[in-house]
Amino acid sequence: MSRKKIWKMVLAASLSLSVLAACSSNSEAPNDSNSTGEGTAPNVPKTEISVSMFDRGTVPVEEGSYEKNRWTQWINDNSPVKVNWVPVPRPQAQQKLNTLIASGSAPDLIWEYDRNYIAQLANQGAIQPIDEYIEKYSTTIKKYLNDHPELKSAITINGKMYALTSKRGIDTIANHGMWIRQDWLDKLGLKAPTSVEELIEVSRKFRDADFDGNGKPDTVPIVFNGNAVQIMRAFFFTNENQWYLEDGKLKFARTLDRYTDSLAFQKQLFDEGLIDKEYITDTNFQRARQLWTTGNAGIFFGNWDMENEFKDLKQNVPDAKLAPLESLSSKYGKNGLYQENPAYILVAFNSSMKEEKVEAAIKFLDWMLDKGWWTLRIGEENVHSKLVDGVPQRIDATKFRNEVSYASEYAVLSQWSPKPEWFPIMAAQDPLSQEYAKLRSQSIQTAMKNPYRRDLPYNPDLPELTQLVATFYPIATQIEAKIITGGSALTPQAGMEEIRKEWKRLGGDNVEKLVQEWYEKNKADLK
């Protein structure tokens, strides 16, 4: 099969899969974070490399662009290379990267959170193994990986190292989170719900309480962002795209009986008006956010860290009081809220890179992991942050938000590892920032309180599975929408039968067989 044809297949698969994707132990500040580039003699042009990055639309206009701003300049001034950054829109990142690869214009370093995507690139020959180069040229990364052997399974594909990574801090291992209006609970004399049944009861009270006093039952108890569905699925131990080990056999979550229960729960919320009836058309969640920040909703399914939503709500409703909400139990017990694997960004090397450029890229990543990440995380010392007991404290919240908050995007390898008690120290000292910082400490501890069930560190990277899921996903989603919003037209049980029939029709039985074979072959490394 020609390379061009292969990439047409990859691109077609990614167009469908892109809708599925959305989401160190050394915490000491590195020394000499403002040192000049290492190993580069004055007046000798630096080797240029290009690096992909996610465009999340967070660079303020006055700061420039993702390609050119104060931090890209700082990197080029201080690192051993000159970096040309290649932003790709976050929602279509894999699609865009595949287009660049297919056209031969992909950046030298390509990174993603999704290990399956990196494995796909490895299997297609778009990226190259780097074991011998790390051994030959690296110092910092080589030692770091020896100190963190738990990361190696994420970057090892077909027995070779195809990417580099660093360990997530607790603030990026925690992901999903729930918030509740504590002042509403207090007014109604209620306690925070601890089970899905109690959540429904509290939501009914919120719905009927008429907090805005307009005489209309128009309060929306629960609003959410894109994490909501997975939060609701997690109550029933069934993330829709995960594989679960059931009696020694791997089963796809969307075919499990537990999944039926999660759909029934979501349908009940919709039928009783406990979630916004317009949520399906609110694809960017702006309506949900507006309901929350204007004080017209009582529970938010989102992220553990939602500072902007908190501050916007406080601006509109100064007396509002929030509390992080712990994961809820169901008849299956209590699962944790979604938590990420330890491996952070996976940085892969374009297969077209020659050894000279690979060497330069490795030295850049060595520099980033050793010291570059620190300044990109805290900003310029004594301008954006100052150290208090070794913890970086923001000097001015607005200045930091405008000038530094987007910079961590460039730290593709990092040793950032904050502790919950750091948050009040790190935050600006104004009352509002301090109020949120204390909540933030509570929230991350709440989000990490219960372990999240993950039977495999990552899903199987089989092309047959990728193709099946890409076809199956929109069909299953359509059926689920009918179940939840269609009243009595389709029960969860009948809908699940349709979903299972589609899974089998598209080759689900054969894929399950291949997945099981993959598991038996690789289970010793699936830790």
Side-chain angles (χ1 to χ4, degrees), residues 242-246 249-253 255-256 512 516:
Q242 282 186 206
W243 287 81
Y244 289 89
L245 201 55
E246 307 284 325
K249 301 292 184 182
L250 282 178
K251 295 294 181 182
F252 193 56
T255 64
L256 295 172
E512 288 185 20
Q516 189 66 29

Side-chain angles (χ1 to χ4, degrees), residues 24 144 166-167 344 368-369 373 377 411-416:
S24 151
Y144 182 82
S166 52
K167 191 173 182 179
Y344 193 35
M368 183 65 76
L369 183 63
W373 65 272
R377 171 63 68 170
V412 292
L413 296 180
S414 169
Q415 299 193 57
W416 177 248

Side-chain angles (χ1 to χ4, degrees), residues 243 250-252 460-469 472 503-519:
W243 287 81
L250 282 178
K251 295 294 181 182
F252 193 56
D461 50 27
L462 303 172
E464 294 87 351
L465 172 61
T466 301
Q467 292 176 17
L468 169 60
V469 172
F472 177 67
W503 175 258
K504 287 181 176 292
R505 181 181 69 81
L506 295 170
D509 287 344
N510 182 55
V511 166
E512 288 185 20
K513 176 175 174 290
L514 295 174
V515 166
Q516 189 66 29
E517 291 173 356
W518 172 90
Y519 172 68

